[in-house]
mmCIF file with all atom_site columns, all heavy atoms in Angstrom:
data_model
loop_
_atom_site.group_PDB
_atom_site.id
_atom_site.type_symbol
_atom_site.label_atom_id
_atom_site.label_alt_id
_atom_site.label_comp_id
_atom_site.label_asym_id
_atom_site.label_entity_id
_atom_site.label_seq_id
_atom_site.pdbx_PDB_ins_code
_atom_site.Cartn_x
_atom_site.Cartn_y
_atom_site.Cartn_z
_atom_site.occupancy
_atom_site.B_iso_or_equiv
_atom_site.pdbx_formal_charge
_atom_site.auth_seq_id
_atom_site.auth_comp_id
_atom_site.auth_asym_id
_atom_site.auth_atom_id
_atom_site.pdbx_PDB_model_num
ATOM 1  N N   . PRO A 1 222 ? -4.048 -15.874 32.579 1.00 0.00 ? 223 PRO A N   1
ATOM 2  C CA  . PRO A 1 222 ? -3.074 -15.936 31.484 1.00 0.00 ? 223 PRO A CA  1
ATOM 3  C C   . PRO A 1 222 ? -3.072 -17.339 30.885 1.00 0.00 ? 223 PRO A C   1
ATOM 4  O O   . PRO A 1 222 ? -3.474 -18.304 31.540 1.00 0.00 ? 223 PRO A O   1
ATOM 5  C CB  . PRO A 1 222 ? -1.743 -15.620 32.181 1.00 0.00 ? 223 PRO A CB  1
ATOM 6  C CG  . PRO A 1 222 ? -1.960 -16.026 33.602 1.00 0.00 ? 223 PRO A CG  1
ATOM 7  C CD  . PRO A 1 222 ? -3.402 -15.724 33.894 1.00 0.00 ? 223 PRO A CD  1
ATOM 8  N N   . THR A 1 223 ? -2.618 -17.440 29.657 1.00 0.00 ? 224 THR A N   1
ATOM 9  C CA  . THR A 1 223 ? -2.599 -18.735 28.983 1.00 0.00 ? 224 THR A CA  1
ATOM 10 C C   . THR A 1 223 ? -1.706 -19.741 29.712 1.00 0.00 ? 224 THR A C   1
ATOM 11 O O   . THR A 1 223 ? -2.029 -20.921 29.801 1.00 0.00 ? 224 THR A O   1
ATOM 12 C CB  . THR A 1 223 ? -2.114 -18.564 27.535 1.00 0.00 ? 224 THR A CB  1
ATOM 13 O OG1 . THR A 1 223 ? -3.033 -17.705 26.850 1.00 0.00 ? 224 THR A OG1 1
ATOM 14 C CG2 . THR A 1 223 ? -2.042 -19.896 26.814 1.00 0.00 ? 224 THR A CG2 1
ATOM 15 N N   . PHE A 1 224 ? -0.602 -19.237 30.262 1.00 0.00 ? 225 PHE A N   1
ATOM 16 C CA  . PHE A 1 224 ? 0.354  -20.110 30.952 1.00 0.00 ? 225 PHE A CA  1
ATOM 17 C C   . PHE A 1 224 ? 1.004  -19.322 32.072 1.00 0.00 ? 225 PHE A C   1
ATOM 18 O O   . PHE A 1 224 ? 1.323  -18.143 31.917 1.00 0.00 ? 225 PHE A O   1
ATOM 19 C CB  . PHE A 1 224 ? 1.426  -20.589 29.969 1.00 0.00 ? 225 PHE A CB  1
ATOM 20 C CG  . PHE A 1 224 ? 2.473  -21.483 30.589 1.00 0.00 ? 225 PHE A CG  1
ATOM 21 C CD1 . PHE A 1 224 ? 2.287  -22.853 30.651 1.00 0.00 ? 225 PHE A CD1 1
ATOM 22 C CD2 . PHE A 1 224 ? 3.643  -20.945 31.111 1.00 0.00 ? 225 PHE A CD2 1
ATOM 23 C CE1 . PHE A 1 224 ? 3.247  -23.679 31.223 1.00 0.00 ? 225 PHE A CE1 1
ATOM 24 C CE2 . PHE A 1 224 ? 4.602  -21.756 31.694 1.00 0.00 ? 225 PHE A CE2 1
ATOM 25 C CZ  . PHE A 1 224 ? 4.405  -23.128 31.742 1.00 0.00 ? 225 PHE A CZ  1
ATOM 26 N N   . SER A 1 225 ? 1.185  -19.947 33.213 1.00 0.00 ? 226 SER A N   1
ATOM 27 C CA  . SER A 1 225 ? 1.872  -19.281 34.320 1.00 0.00 ? 226 SER A CA  1
ATOM 28 C C   . SER A 1 225 ? 2.528  -20.324 35.220 1.00 0.00 ? 226 SER A C   1
ATOM 29 O O   . SER A 1 225 ? 2.168  -21.502 35.203 1.00 0.00 ? 226 SER A O   1
ATOM 30 C CB  . SER A 1 225 ? 0.897  -18.425 35.129 1.00 0.00 ? 226 SER A CB  1
ATOM 31 O OG  . SER A 1 225 ? -0.089 -19.229 35.744 1.00 0.00 ? 226 SER A OG  1
ATOM 32 N N   . ARG A 1 226 ? 3.491  -19.857 36.022 1.00 0.00 ? 227 ARG A N   1
ATOM 33 C CA  . ARG A 1 226 ? 4.188  -20.729 36.958 1.00 0.00 ? 227 ARG A CA  1
ATOM 34 C C   . ARG A 1 226 ? 4.355  -19.980 38.281 1.00 0.00 ? 227 ARG A C   1
ATOM 35 O O   . ARG A 1 226 ? 4.797  -18.829 38.300 1.00 0.00 ? 227 ARG A O   1
ATOM 36 C CB  . ARG A 1 226 ? 5.566  -21.121 36.412 1.00 0.00 ? 227 ARG A CB  1
ATOM 37 C CG  . ARG A 1 226 ? 6.286  -22.193 37.243 1.00 0.00 ? 227 ARG A CG  1
ATOM 38 C CD  . ARG A 1 226 ? 7.729  -22.365 36.764 1.00 0.00 ? 227 ARG A CD  1
ATOM 39 N NE  . ARG A 1 226 ? 7.805  -22.679 35.348 1.00 0.00 ? 227 ARG A NE  1
ATOM 40 C CZ  . ARG A 1 226 ? 7.761  -23.915 34.853 1.00 0.00 ? 227 ARG A CZ  1
ATOM 41 N NH1 . ARG A 1 226 ? 7.658  -24.938 35.674 1.00 0.00 ? 227 ARG A NH1 1
ATOM 42 N NH2 . ARG A 1 226 ? 7.850  -24.115 33.556 1.00 0.00 ? 227 ARG A NH2 1
ATOM 43 N N   . THR A 1 227 ? 3.962  -20.607 39.373 1.00 0.00 ? 228 THR A N   1
ATOM 44 C CA  . THR A 1 227 ? 4.081  -19.975 40.684 1.00 0.00 ? 228 THR A CA  1
ATOM 45 C C   . THR A 1 227 ? 5.527  -20.049 41.184 1.00 0.00 ? 228 THR A C   1
ATOM 46 O O   . THR A 1 227 ? 6.366  -20.758 40.613 1.00 0.00 ? 228 THR A O   1
ATOM 47 C CB  . THR A 1 227 ? 3.164  -20.665 41.712 1.00 0.00 ? 228 THR A CB  1
ATOM 48 O OG1 . THR A 1 227 ? 3.652  -21.998 41.948 1.00 0.00 ? 228 THR A OG1 1
ATOM 49 C CG2 . THR A 1 227 ? 1.737  -20.727 41.219 1.00 0.00 ? 228 THR A CG2 1
ATOM 50 N N   . LYS A 1 228 ? 5.804  -19.323 42.265 1.00 0.00 ? 229 LYS A N   1
ATOM 51 C CA  . LYS A 1 228 ? 7.136  -19.360 42.859 1.00 0.00 ? 229 LYS A CA  1
ATOM 52 C C   . LYS A 1 228 ? 7.494  -20.756 43.342 1.00 0.00 ? 229 LYS A C   1
ATOM 53 O O   . LYS A 1 228 ? 8.667  -21.127 43.408 1.00 0.00 ? 229 LYS A O   1
ATOM 54 C CB  . LYS A 1 228 ? 7.208  -18.374 44.035 1.00 0.00 ? 229 LYS A CB  1
ATOM 55 C CG  . LYS A 1 228 ? 7.108  -16.903 43.618 1.00 0.00 ? 229 LYS A CG  1
ATOM 56 C CD  . LYS A 1 228 ? 7.193  -16.003 44.819 1.00 0.00 ? 229 LYS A CD  1
ATOM 57 C CE  . LYS A 1 228 ? 7.117  -14.536 44.424 1.00 0.00 ? 229 LYS A CE  1
ATOM 58 N NZ  . LYS A 1 228 ? 7.165  -13.633 45.600 1.00 0.00 ? 229 LYS A NZ  1
#
Side-chain angles (χ1 to χ4, degrees):
T224 299
F225 179 88
S226 64
R227 188 189 304 272
T228 67
K229 293 180 179 179

